[in-house]
Each structure stands twice: as structure tokens, then as C-alpha cells.
Amino acid sequence: LQSIKERRVTIVAGSCGCGKSTQVPQYILDDYTARGKKVRILVTQPRRLATTSIAARVATERGTRLGSEVGFRIGGRECCQKHTKLL
């Protein structure tokens, strides 16, 4: 989290299944929310199916509707709003 606080862009690399797409973005979102700071987090995925399924999983874990706090944008299809924080 310290690296993210000090830099505008941070790239997280890790092995498959380590939580870089699901857990790390939630840690960041929770930290910024707790400190009353605005944040928008972008997670990239190489495949369409991964994008939609990961977004749905994170939304479920957070107890929110897909497209509100957590969403996705892929090609011409998007499931997000102006206030979406994790994309």
C-alpha cells in the first residue's frame, strides 16, 4: 500500500491465483475508503471471460451489485457507472 500512496501508477505482478486481480484491488479500495480518499482502480485482463467473471466475483465478495462499486469495460460493452471505483 505504501508504494501505491507514493506513486500515481503501480503495476502488481505475481503468479497465477495469488490475488493480484481480486484481493489486492480490494485492499487498496478499503484503505482509501477508510482514509476518506477518492480512488479509481483499474485492473487489466487479457481475456473477455476473465474480465467479466473476475468483476462478478469481486462484486459478490464485496456484497455489491455488479456495475455499481465494481464494474468492467471491455470493447464496446461496459457494466459501470460514473461512481464505479474498481474497474
Side-chain angles (χ1 to χ4, degrees), residues 34-45:
R35 294 186 296 122
K37 302 281 186 180
K38 287 186 176 185
V39 66
R40 293 205 69 198
I41 302 162
L42 175 66
V43 178
T44 61
Q45 294 296 322

Side-chain angles (χ1 to χ4, degrees), residues 68-86:
S68 58
E69 181 183 49
V70 179
F72 67 86
R73 187 178 296 161
I74 184 165
R77 183 177 170 209
E78 57 182 50
C79 180
C80 58
Q81 300 173 5
K82 288 185 178 185
H83 67 272
T84 299
K85 296 176 183 171
L86 181 50

